[in-house]
mmCIF file of all heavy atoms in Angstrom:
data_model
loop_
_atom_site.group_PDB
_atom_site.id
_atom_site.type_symbol
_atom_site.label_atom_id
_atom_site.label_comp_id
_atom_site.label_asym_id
_atom_site.label_seq_id
_atom_site.Cartn_x
_atom_site.Cartn_y
_atom_site.Cartn_z
ATOM 1 N N THR A 25 3.032 -5.243 -15.888
ATOM 2 C CA THR A 25 2.764 -4.042 -16.654
ATOM 3 C C THR A 25 4.198 -3.352 -16.882
ATOM 4 O O THR A 25 4.838 -3.201 -15.922
ATOM 5 C CB THR A 25 1.761 -3.161 -15.911
ATOM 6 O OG1 THR A 25 0.609 -3.821 -15.774
ATOM 7 C CG2 THR A 25 1.553 -1.860 -16.691
ATOM 8 N N VAL A 35 5.921 7.639 -23.510
ATOM 9 C CA VAL A 35 5.560 6.397 -23.035
ATOM 10 C C VAL A 35 5.051 5.508 -24.138
ATOM 11 O O VAL A 35 4.419 6.075 -25.133
ATOM 12 C CB VAL A 35 4.566 6.398 -21.889
ATOM 13 C CG1 VAL A 35 3.161 7.052 -22.355
ATOM 14 C CG2 VAL A 35 4.316 5.173 -21.219
ATOM 15 N N PRO A 59 9.928 -12.239 -13.009
ATOM 16 C CA PRO A 59 9.032 -11.120 -13.493
ATOM 17 C C PRO A 59 9.729 -10.054 -14.268
ATOM 18 O O PRO A 59 9.159 -9.617 -15.286
ATOM 19 C CB PRO A 59 8.563 -10.491 -12.103
ATOM 20 C CG PRO A 59 8.563 -11.611 -11.164
ATOM 21 C CD PRO A 59 9.777 -12.493 -11.528
ATOM 22 N N ALA A 60 10.948 -9.630 -13.957
ATOM 23 C CA ALA A 60 11.603 -8.610 -14.769
ATOM 24 C C ALA A 60 11.977 -9.202 -16.104
ATOM 25 O O ALA A 60 11.956 -8.515 -17.088
ATOM 26 C CB ALA A 60 12.920 -8.161 -14.006
ATOM 27 N N GLU A 78 14.033 -0.590 -14.967
ATOM 28 C CA GLU A 78 14.642 0.384 -14.113
ATOM 29 C C GLU A 78 14.282 0.112 -12.618
ATOM 30 O O GLU A 78 15.063 0.204 -11.685
ATOM 31 C CB GLU A 78 14.285 1.829 -14.408
ATOM 32 C CG GLU A 78 14.919 2.293 -15.662
ATOM 33 C CD GLU A 78 14.686 3.778 -15.961
ATOM 34 O OE1 GLU A 78 13.526 4.195 -15.662
ATOM 35 O OE2 GLU A 78 15.536 4.456 -16.473
ATOM 36 N N SER A 110 16.324 -0.195 -27.585
ATOM 37 C CA SER A 110 16.522 -0.218 -29.010
ATOM 38 C C SER A 110 15.232 -0.709 -29.620
ATOM 39 O O SER A 110 14.322 -1.212 -28.907
ATOM 40 C CB SER A 110 17.677 -1.079 -29.488
ATOM 41 O OG SER A 110 17.497 -2.454 -29.112
ATOM 42 N N HIS A 138 -5.054 2.077 -16.025
ATOM 43 C CA HIS A 138 -3.758 2.238 -16.664
ATOM 44 C C HIS A 138 -3.133 3.654 -16.275
ATOM 45 O O HIS A 138 -1.951 3.790 -16.199
ATOM 46 C CB HIS A 138 -3.875 2.186 -18.174
ATOM 47 C CG HIS A 138 -3.919 0.731 -18.624
ATOM 48 N ND1 HIS A 138 -2.831 -0.105 -18.815
ATOM 49 C CD2 HIS A 138 -5.019 -0.161 -18.767
ATOM 50 C CE1 HIS A 138 -3.209 -1.268 -19.161
ATOM 51 N NE2 HIS A 138 -4.517 -1.316 -19.156
ATOM 52 N N LEU A 142 0.517 4.148 -14.653
ATOM 53 C CA LEU A 142 1.533 5.150 -15.226
ATOM 54 C C LEU A 142 1.985 6.100 -14.172
ATOM 55 O O LEU A 142 3.101 6.396 -14.021
ATOM 56 C CB LEU A 142 0.803 5.814 -16.350
ATOM 57 C CG LEU A 142 1.641 6.972 -17.048
ATOM 58 C CD1 LEU A 142 2.913 6.483 -17.618
ATOM 59 C CD2 LEU A 142 0.696 7.724 -18.129
ATOM 60 N N ASP A 153 5.660 0.790 -4.491
ATOM 61 C CA ASP A 153 4.377 1.176 -3.780
ATOM 62 C C ASP A 153 3.591 -0.129 -3.615
ATOM 63 O O ASP A 153 3.552 -0.980 -4.484
ATOM 64 C CB ASP A 153 3.458 2.082 -4.699
ATOM 65 C CG ASP A 153 3.950 3.453 -4.816
ATOM 66 O OD1 ASP A 153 4.760 3.932 -3.965
ATOM 67 O OD2 ASP A 153 3.546 4.106 -5.892
#
Side-chain angles (χ1 to χ4, degrees):
T25 297
V35 65
E78 290 185 323
S110 65
H138 285 275
L142 177 59
D153 287 335

